[in-house]
Amino acid sequence: MLSIVAVFIAYWRSTNDCDSKTAAPAHPMKAIRYCEYGSADVLKLQNVEKPVPNDDQVLIKVRATSLNAFDAGVTRDLWLVRLFFGLRKPRDTRLGQDLAGQVEAVGKNVTQFKTGDEVFGLCRGGLAEYTCTRERALAIKPPNLTFEQAASLPLAGLVALQGLREGKIQPGQKVLINGATGGVGTFAVQIAKSLGAEVTAVCSTRNVDLVRSIGADHVIDYTKEDFTKSDQRYDVIFDNVCNHSFAERGRVLTPKGICVLVGIGGAGVKEGQAVGRIVNNLFTARVRSSFTNQKFAVYGIKTNKQDLTTLGDLAQTEKIKPVIERTYKLGDAPEAMRYLAEGHARGKLVLTVP
Ligand SMILES: NC(=O)c1ccc[n+]([C@@H]2O[C@H](COP(=O)([O-])OP(=O)(O)OC[C@H]3O[C@@H](n4cnc5c(N)ncnc54)[C@H](OP(=O)(O)O)[C@@H]3O)[C@@H](O)[C@H]2O)c1
């Protein structure tokens, strides 16, 4: 019992790098940090120490990075976030999971990249001039993509690619993408098309033309029509929003259809609702999949170099084209985050690093 209390106290008292009162960094770089939880205003551009790669890491000079729903989630002042990321304050103050840039240095065990390579991939702390990451989280940047386009690919592209794979899509199958115009949705529409599916995109009125332009065969405007009330049946539902019950989605799935649950917290729900919804989604998905021929798959992203390379190839051959609504400078991260948190960005929000 005493040890549990001790662990709790240590956890409670844990500090972050904003607490250190040391002199100016010896090798400074600019980076976005969040020293406390809160709205987008807690994001600050700071001078911090440039990271040094360990033996298995690659140091990258970041040229562009992009925001994801995850970034808006971890900065929020919610008890669930505090439980996982630090009780009093965030233990790790870095932000940003996507990057595109140039290799600056490599650790001694790194074999697949060398100084000067142009790369894109996943990291922790992409909102910075430099960051370190593992080589399996990186791939060579397709030469026809700008750094901004490449930075929009990693997380959202992987979620779309790997999530659709859970759906086991066959050419000609009917696939519905709910939440088709955000970061994940715009890639999901294009990847499903490249797999030969007949794609129905669900979005709001202002995005109807956008989803048509990226290849959707049919569009449902959710402000006018509820897709779960139609007579149409889908082989795969790729659900970024999860704002319908299992029964409603089951009704529009074919008898052996697959529903891939990507946004299990749901878009724009309040804290209490989000926790309940996550638990309900995890539990009900398992139960329903056990007792019916329809499958509800809860999906979580896996870092995978081969999939990053596949995304790069799809972009190189223009089977997918990144949709970037707005580009910001690194120092404007709070403004970008404010817009992302509204939950209606069209495609990706990218930040450039000078
Ligand atoms: N499982 C994983 O590993 C994983 C990884 C990353 C992200 N995610 C989750 O995936 C989801 C999507 O991420 P994202 O980056 O694409 O978010 P995003 O860029 O913020 O996009 C959200 C989208 O939801 C749409 N939307 C909002 N309300 C809707 C409604 N009632 N019906 C249909 N669409 C609606 C918005 O379109 P309109 O503007 O047209 O309303 C917008 O396109 C998030 O819930 C995120 O947490 C999961």
Side-chain angles (χ1 to χ4, degrees), residues 158-169 173 175-179 184 188 227 234-243 246 249-250 253 256-264 281 285 289 294-302:
L158 283 180
V159 173
L161 180 71
Q162 296 175 351
L164 286 169
R165 201 177 282 147
E166 294 279 320
K168 302 181 175 62
I169 294 175
Q173 283 193 322
V175 175
L176 178 134
I177 315 283
N178 189 25
V184 175
F227 75 86
Y234 300 96
D235 301 292
V236 177
I237 295 177
F238 183 91
D239 200 344
N240 278 316
V241 192
C242 294
N243 56 339
F246 281 82
R249 284 173 289 187
L253 267 182
K256 291 190 175 172
I258 301 176
C259 180
V260 185
L261 308 174
V262 176
I264 58 169
N281 276 322
S289 300
Q294 294 174 336
K295 188 175 169 212
F296 288 84
V298 176
Y299 164 75
I301 184 181
K302 295 158 201 80

Side-chain angles (χ1 to χ4, degrees), residues 333-349:
E335 185 187 336
M337 189 71 91
R338 229 169 269 125
Y339 184 57
L340 180 81
E342 289 171 15
H344 296 284
R346 303 164 108 180
K348 297 288 297 179
L349 305 179

Side-chain angles (χ1 to χ4, degrees), residues 287-307:
V287 172
R288 281 192 76 106
S289 300
S290 305
F291 291 104
T292 71
N293 287 326
Q294 294 174 336
K295 188 175 169 212
F296 288 84
V298 176
Y299 164 75
I301 184 181
K302 295 158 201 80
T303 302
N304 179 325
K305 183 179 172 55
Q306 183 54 48
D307 285 346

